[in-house]
């Protein structure tokens, strides 16, 4: 499972980071989402899915590869 962010849509709430900091972070300059682990390890998939569902801007997307 892979996660992707659309930075044109991300507003930098960092809700994704709050929910799954192993995968998502916040860029110190832009204040927008950075993805630490685009290839999400199996043990983090549930947490990463929750973060994607909770992005208020719909900026995050999941793909299978
Ligand atoms: S929750 Fe969504 S809008 Fe907020 S920082 Fe994460 S990707 Fe960006």
């Amino acid at each position: 499972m892979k996660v992707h962010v659309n930075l044109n849509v991300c507003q930098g709430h960092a809700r994704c980071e709050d929910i799954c900091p192993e995968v998502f972070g916040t860029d110190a300059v832009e204040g927008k989402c950075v993805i630490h682990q685009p290839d999400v390890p199996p043990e983090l998939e549930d947490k990463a899915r929750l973060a994607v569902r909770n992005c208020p801007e719909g900026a995050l997307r999941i793909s299978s590869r």
Side-chain angles (χ1 to χ4, degrees):
M1 172 181 141
K2 286 185 183 271
V3 287
H4 313 266
V5 60
N6 180 346
L7 292 176
N8 294 321
V9 177
C10 173
Q11 294 297 316
H13 311 278
R15 198 173 290 182
C16 50
E17 183 179 15
D18 288 344
I19 294 172
C20 187
E22 299 90 341
V23 173
F24 303 99
T26 303
D27 179 86
V29 178
E30 299 281 339
K32 293 191 177 189
C33 174
V34 289
I35 298 183
H36 300 309
Q37 300 192 72
D39 291 300
V40 181
E43 66 273 19
L44 290 175
E45 286 188 0
D46 285 350
K47 248 173 119 176
R49 275 198 197 92
L50 187 65
V52 170
R53 277 203 300 274
N54 278 276
C55 171
E57 308 298 331
L60 297 172
R61 183 171 64 81
I62 290 172
S63 69
S64 52
R65 46 190 220 129

